[in-house]
Amino acid sequence: IVYALTQSGSYNVRVGQGSGTSLIHVSGSPFSVTIVPSEEVGSQTSALGDALTLATVGATSTFRLVARDMWGNLRRPSGSVFTCTLRGFRDAYATVTPSTEHYVSTYSLTLSGSYQMEVKRSGTHVIGSPFALTAVPGPASGSQTAMLTSLAASTAGEINSLTIAVKDAYGNARVGGNEVIVFGGDGLTSAAATPGASGTFSASFVLLKQGRIPVA
């Protein structure tokens, strides 16, 4: 007797002579049979989570992989057989580890920009792979932020301009950031900087007196 099933689960297999209600069972029939999923395949596996398309530099990003066999039967993780590569200006890699019900992929980036995330099993992409991922800069870092305009030649009583380049802890420009930057000091009017292009902020201020004036 040979049979093949495509759906995993529990079955009762009746073996005997005849059919229907007149079937004469052989000894032990019906038999309880458990059909388990076959090997997981990439083409039937789903990737789930916001981290497939959006990440923040410096933060840990995580998404899930729900594995299935070629017939679509859910597969519990049996080992780390998936790979995840983020293709960009500088390639990066994610770790893939099994959990109770699915695989968990984790990565962290230090360079902002656009990536193509390839998630594969044995060279075959999972459903939807490669994914278009955007990595945005992390929070503004004071140690990485710099003034692009020299204040040494500022003139008292006149409007002076200042340009600041705001970056995150990894040196990525905070393009489109919503920081509120206020600078001031004893002897000048305080001013809030407004965002410009490529992560720069600009502001105007007036010095109220001559001499060496500390600015913060």
Side-chain angles (χ1 to χ4, degrees):
I1 298 176
V2 179
Y3 64 92
L5 296 173
T6 59
Q7 185 174 353
S8 61
S10 298
Y11 293 83
N12 286 324
V13 179
R14 299 186 300 167
V15 181
Q17 184 178 13
S19 61
T21 57
S22 62
L23 177 70
I24 302 174
H25 290 271
V26 300
S27 178
S29 178
F31 301 93
S32 295
V33 177
T34 299
I35 304 299
V36 298
S38 58
E39 185 179 70
E40 54 206 5
V41 296
S43 61
Q44 293 289 337
T45 296
S46 301
L48 307 171
D50 294 338
L52 291 165
T53 56
L54 182 64
T56 299
V57 167
T60 299
S61 300
T62 302
F63 63 90
R64 295 178 293 131
L65 293 172
V66 180
R68 298 181 184 274
D69 67 11
M70 64 181 299
W71 308 106
N73 296 296
L74 189 65
R75 279 271 309 187
R76 289 181 179 273
S78 56
S80 182
V81 294
F82 291 90
T83 60
C84 178
T85 306
L86 295 92
R87 306 288 187 189
F89 180 78
R90 185 168 63 229
D91 289 354
Y93 303 90
T95 61
V96 182
T97 55
S99 67
T100 304
E101 299 292 337
H102 50 260
Y103 291 91
V104 177
S105 183
T106 304
Y107 66 92
S108 182
L109 299 171
T110 59
L111 183 66
S112 62
S114 298
Y115 293 81
Q116 289 290 312
M117 181 186 288
E118 299 176 351
V119 185
K120 299 179 180 179
R121 193 223 184 258
S122 299
T124 301
H125 287 278
V126 304
I127 298 172
S129 177
F131 301 91
L133 170 72
T134 300
V136 299
S141 169
S143 62
Q144 292 289 338
T145 296
M147 290 189 296
L148 303 182
T149 305
S150 174
L151 299 178
S154 299
T155 304
E158 296 183 1
I159 297 176
N160 299 274
S161 297
L162 174 67
T163 302
I164 304 170
V166 181
K167 299 182 179 182
D168 66 13
Y170 297 92
N172 299 290
R174 287 280 302 170
V175 179
N178 59 356
E179 291 81 17
V180 177
I181 300 175
V182 178
F183 65 94
D186 181 24
L188 74 158
T189 58
S190 297
T194 56
S198 302
T200 61
F201 288 73
S202 60
S204 298
F205 62 95
V206 177
L207 291 174
L208 302 178
K209 62 182 180 180
Q210 296 180 343
R212 296 178 62 85
I213 300 174
V215 178

